[in-house]
Amino acid sequence: MTKVHNFSAGPGILPAEVLKQAAEACLNFDNLNLSLLEISHRSKSFEKVMDESRELVKELLGLNEHYQVLFLGGGASLQFAMVPYNLLRTDGTAGYVNTGVWANKAIKEAKMIGNTVVVASSEDKKFTYIPKGFDIPASLDYLHITSNNTIYGTQIKSFPKTTVPLVCDMSSDIFSRYVNGNDFGLIYAGAQKNMGPAGATMIAVDERLLGKTGRKMLSMLDYSVHIKGGSMYNTPPVFPIYVSMLTMKWLKNNGGIAWIEKKNNEKAATLYSEIDRNSMFKGTTEVSDRSNMNVTFVMTKPELEAEFDKLTKEANLSGLRGHRDVGGYRASLYNALPLESVNVLVEVMQAFEKKFA
Ligand SMILES: *Cc1c(COP(=O)(O)O)cnc(C)c1O
């Protein structure tokens, strides 16, 4: 099989050994001579998967005993609604930082549920930077932030310090670097960027924040109901959870967050320094807010894009086209992407400059 360098923004690259184990589990899971896809989620074999997945999240985020971990369906997009539904009091106010498309969608849902204020925004410069130093009213029920803006290629390097509970959409940089999970009231992440396949969303919530809204709660949208059910109030997305567990184990067995953070820093530094050096390309974001996960760049001579696309295709580089809102290019450097793939991209960029500059 041809080696393809997978820079897809999501669903994103997974470790080859994880894909192999996942394929095996589809045929014969846990030596049951049954597929993972055709057994009860209440079976001992799957309960082990659920328990281990929840434990691994707690371990990788360093969460204390107040946190509960859930794996639910509906994508990160359902969390845009579930977060205010569970945390925004009927007479309270939620704060949001608007850093682009995903944050905007979260704000839209919160406004349907209750009082919502946007405390900071980078819309004035097309979301090319992370707002800093803004006021956070102490009366907010929570402050919602997006740690990594997948589309624009910006990333929060230093989280706001506040007594207000932080809610963070970490969909596209979960487990990519050290964070102290206990600094957040709630963390959520769709699995398909950096954690597993599409279909499961991880939620880690400080239980002490729940049950205070004064709202009658629909069962399926109530974190407390899912917590009580051990994340199995209804049939959970068994396969995406299993593959997420394998990916977390892969991460842990290779050296955990410290190991991956070093690798991710190296990959991002390699690519950004080529973008800055190469006369044919330029970055699209504020340098200090550059994402280590999604590297966005455009060409100084956009009329040559088709030529560059030809070269990247020949080198088996996949998934490099930028989001339609930004244009240009986006190289997603998720955890499973090896440095070798970044090096191949850099070589192609250098060859392109030699040929056309
Ligand atoms: C992809 C993405 C989402 C949306 O995830 P879905 O699982 O498709 O709902 C939300 N937030 C961020 C930061 C993302 O990158």
Side-chain angles (χ1 to χ4, degrees):
M1 223 163 76
T2 314
K3 163 100 180 144
V4 173
H5 301 282
N6 183 4
F7 293 93
S8 171
I13 184 169
L14 291 168
E17 63 189 79
V18 164
L19 293 176
K20 191 152 170 283
Q21 286 171 281
E24 280 161 9
C26 285
L27 299 173
N28 178 5
F29 175 58
D30 206 19
N31 290 320
L32 298 170
N33 292 312
L34 292 167
S35 168
L36 167 67
L37 306 180
E38 57 179 4
I39 62 164
S40 170
H41 57 291
R42 310 269 176 212
S43 61
K44 279 259 161 338
S45 294
F46 187 75
E47 276 196 342
K48 263 193 332 207
V49 171
M50 181 58 96
D51 290 346
E52 193 167 354
S53 303
R54 296 173 84 195
E55 267 318 304
L56 280 162
V57 170
K58 289 188 86 169
E59 201 179 317
L60 291 168
L61 293 172
L63 297 171
N64 67 35
E65 75 278 10
H66 297 296
Y67 287 81
Q68 291 281 350
V69 175
L70 300 172
F71 285 92
L72 306 180
S77 299
L78 180 59
Q79 297 312 307
F80 297 161
M82 277 180 82
V83 162
Y85 189 69
N86 283 267
L87 300 183
L88 173 49
R89 289 166 220 240
T90 50
D91 59 353
T93 304
Y96 279 74
V97 179
N98 181 9
T99 49
V101 166
W102 300 119
N104 249 307
K105 288 189 169 172
I107 292 164
K108 182 174 165 218
E109 300 302 289
K111 282 185 171 165
M112 305 265 225
I113 289 176
N115 253 329
T116 302
V117 291
V118 175
V119 299
S121 169
S122 52
E123 194 167 10
D124 58 337
K125 290 186 184 161
K126 291 189 177 159
F127 303 115
T128 54
Y129 71 102
I130 298 285
K132 297 168 203 79
F134 47 86
D135 275 338
I136 303 168
S139 58
L140 294 176
D141 285 342
Y142 63 86
L143 177 71
H144 181 283
I145 54 180
T146 310
S147 57
N148 185 73
N149 297 285
T150 325
I151 292 171
Y152 305 91
T154 60
Q155 186 175 34
I156 299 178
K157 303 294 172 178
S158 161
F159 292 102
K161 301 258 179 300
T162 170
T163 53
V164 171
L166 283 176
V167 171
C168 191
D169 177 357
M170 290 195 191
S171 292
S172 52
D173 68 352
I174 186 94
F175 307 144
S176 69
R177 56 172 170 170
Y178 172 77
V179 295
N180 181 356
N182 304 310
D183 291 343
F184 302 85
L186 188 149
I187 292 169
Y188 65 92
Q192 72 273 18
K193 307 280 166 50
N194 210 20
M195 183 176 180
T201 305
M202 189 284 291
I203 298 108
V205 58
D206 182 339
E207 228 179 341
R208 293 171 296 185
L209 298 176
L210 300 177
K212 296 181 176 169
T213 61
R215 179 175 289 119
K216 262 196 189 162
M217 304 289 284
L218 293 164
S219 308
M220 272 299 281
L221 299 182
D222 187 344
Y223 291 133
S224 301
V225 167
H226 290 287
I227 291 168
K228 218 175 281 157
S231 201
M232 293 214 224
Y233 170 71
N234 71 322
T235 317
V238 292
F239 187 66
I241 294 170
Y242 178 67
V243 182
S244 298
M245 183 201 78
L246 293 177
T247 310
M248 289 188 279
K249 271 172 121 167
W250 166 83
L251 179 53
K252 182 182 163 177
N253 293 339
N254 279 291
I257 299 293
W259 167 73
I260 206 72
E261 180 165 17
K262 189 159 166 269
K263 259 179 56 140
N264 287 336
N265 284 340
E266 194 179 355
K267 287 184 287 180
T270 301
L271 184 50
Y272 281 119
S273 65
E274 178 60 20
I275 290 168
D276 292 341
R277 187 209 61 77
N278 193 311
S279 62
M280 304 300 284
F281 299 95
K282 58 175 193 244
T284 61
T285 71
E286 192 72 48
V287 170
S288 60
D289 301 330
R290 282 173 161 179
S291 168
N292 273 5
M293 291 281 102
N294 311 98
V295 177
T296 50
F297 54 101
V298 292
M299 283 187 24
T300 50
K301 296 178 187 161
E303 65 277 14
L304 291 175
E305 278 191 356
E307 298 292 342
F308 184 62
D309 292 350
K310 221 160 69 191
L311 288 184
T312 57
K313 197 160 172 234
E314 279 165 20
N316 293 312
L317 303 174
S318 166
L320 281 174
R321 267 301 185 163
H323 188 275
R324 59 187 180 278
D325 289 355
V326 178
Y329 296 90
R330 170 174 54 171
S332 296
L333 314 182
Y334 295 130
N335 285 353
L337 185 91
L339 176 61
E340 175 209 342
S341 292
V342 177
N343 287 335
V344 173
L345 171 57
V346 165
E347 281 161 26
V348 170
M349 291 165 80
Q350 291 173 350
F352 179 71
E353 185 189 34
K354 271 216 183 83
K355 199 161 163 195
F356 292 101

